Amino acid sequence: MSKFKLKWPGVARRPYTLMIAATACAAAWSASAQDTIEPEAAKVLAAMSDNLRSMPTLSVNYDADQEIVDLEGQKIQYSASGTIALDRGKGFLLTRKGPFSDAEVIFDGNTISLHSKGMNVYAQVQSPGPSVEAAADELRVATGLDAPGADLLASDPYAVLTDGVTKGTLVGSAFVGGVECDHLAFRTDIVDWQIWVSKGNNPLPLKYVITTKWVTGAPEYSLRLSNWKSAGIGAAQFKFTPPANAKKLEHVHADVTGDMLLEAGE
């Protein structure tokens, strides 16, 4: 059996399903959410969600950091950078660049392709449905991997983000990358999470942090998002054609650091 380890940014998962086929309007949050989330925090989060939902296509750059606590109790932080391009009706392209890999995940509406450019190997997973939610959920179930910030890319981010929330507050103002933001903090039974949303008429998430609070050392997953665009995303980038002499591998799964392990039977 041959193995190839492909570095990919992992995500600290919520205790509930990451992607939900949500249909309710973000403004019509439930009575329980109204009771647990401060009105100003709910207003900012709903405005961000409505803005993201209004974009049929989008692209963004990301920097991700994931903390792992080793057996001696020391925190080790794994970092990655990449891009996300999304067409809600056609598919998505995720890239990741780092010292050990140059990788991409492509969804064309039917098939999820995972490709390492440097090693010229790839693997494929069939999606149970054509939606971005279905593909992201299948990627998670089949491989243990999550698309970076997948809950922000859902058809209704507000419904996904607030599911299971027991408390939500507006912490105050802050700056991320020189941009003034509203800083929000939320709690669930298993994780706490924070989000920084740019102020103004085009509210967008610029930083997102999830803390797994009942694991030793309370490791965090953080995501910084920049260079948001809503135009110029061509459908051609969602098509994957294996390069010449590329080797197709059979199995994909993730380890605790968020690395992706592809295996091929001899």
Side-chain angles (χ1 to χ4, degrees):
M1 175 178 291
S2 62
K3 297 184 179 181
F4 169 69
K5 181 169 280 193
L6 177 62
K7 301 287 285 185
W8 195 260
V11 175
R13 292 179 188 81
R14 299 175 180 280
Y16 39 84
T17 302
L18 183 65
M19 286 300 226
I20 300 172
T23 56
C25 175
W29 49 81
S30 67
S32 62
Q34 286 180 325
D35 292 339
T36 59
I37 301 176
E38 291 179 355
E40 285 304 309
K43 181 179 178 181
V44 172
L45 194 67
M48 180 204 76
S49 176
D50 286 343
N51 190 31
L52 290 172
R53 294 171 67 201
S54 72
M55 300 179 187
T57 63
L58 61 84
S59 65
V60 65
N61 300 337
Y62 71 85
D63 292 289
D65 298 304
Q66 180 168 343
E67 291 182 343
I68 302 297
V69 182
D70 68 17
L71 295 178
E72 296 179 348
Q74 182 180 9
K75 281 187 179 182
I76 304 296
Q77 191 174 86
Y78 293 85
S79 298
S81 296
T83 62
I84 303 168
L86 169 71
D87 184 317
R88 298 186 186 280
K90 296 178 180 177
F92 58 71
L93 167 64
L94 314 174
T95 71
R96 191 276 180 193
K97 289 188 177 181
F100 304 109
S101 67
D102 184 357
E104 59 187 2
V105 176
I106 303 167
F107 173 58
D108 63 6
N110 295 295
T111 304
I112 306 164
S113 300
L114 306 100
H115 175 224
S116 167
K117 297 179 182 179
M119 297 295 293
N120 203 24
V121 296
Y122 71 100
Q124 293 184 309
V125 178
Q126 293 300 122
S127 174
S131 72
V132 169
E133 281 90 346
D137 195 50
E138 183 62 24
L139 179 66
R140 177 181 57 82
V141 170
T143 69
L145 297 163
D146 282 316
D151 31 8
L152 302 174
L153 306 179
S155 58
D156 187 351
Y158 189 95
V160 177
L161 289 166
T162 59
D163 187 19
V165 165
T166 59
K167 183 180 180 181
T169 59
L170 174 62
V171 177
S173 293
F175 285 82
V176 176
V179 178
E180 188 173 11
C181 297
D182 286 308
H183 176 195
L184 311 179
F186 297 85
R187 309 205 79 183
T188 74
D189 289 339
I190 300 204
V191 303
D192 292 341
W193 58 277
Q194 302 172 72
I195 195 164
W196 288 255
V197 180
S198 60
K199 293 189 176 188
N201 296 327
N202 187 34
L204 291 167
L206 299 186
K207 184 180 176 183
Y208 182 40
V209 175
I210 302 173
T211 303
T212 308
K213 57 189 178 183
W214 302 123
V215 173
T216 300
E220 292 185 344
Y221 173 82
S222 64
L223 191 69
R224 285 179 178 262
L225 301 156
S226 62
N227 197 29
W228 283 94
K229 295 180 181 178
S230 59
I233 294 87
Q237 62 189 306
F238 307 127
K239 301 297 182 182
F240 175 69
T241 301
N245 302 317
K247 183 176 183 179
K248 186 174 183 179
L249 306 183
E250 296 173 359
H251 303 291
V252 185
H253 62 85
D255 65 17
V256 70
T257 69
D259 287 359
M260 185 164 64
L261 187 65
L262 292 87
E263 300 177 346
E266 296 295 350

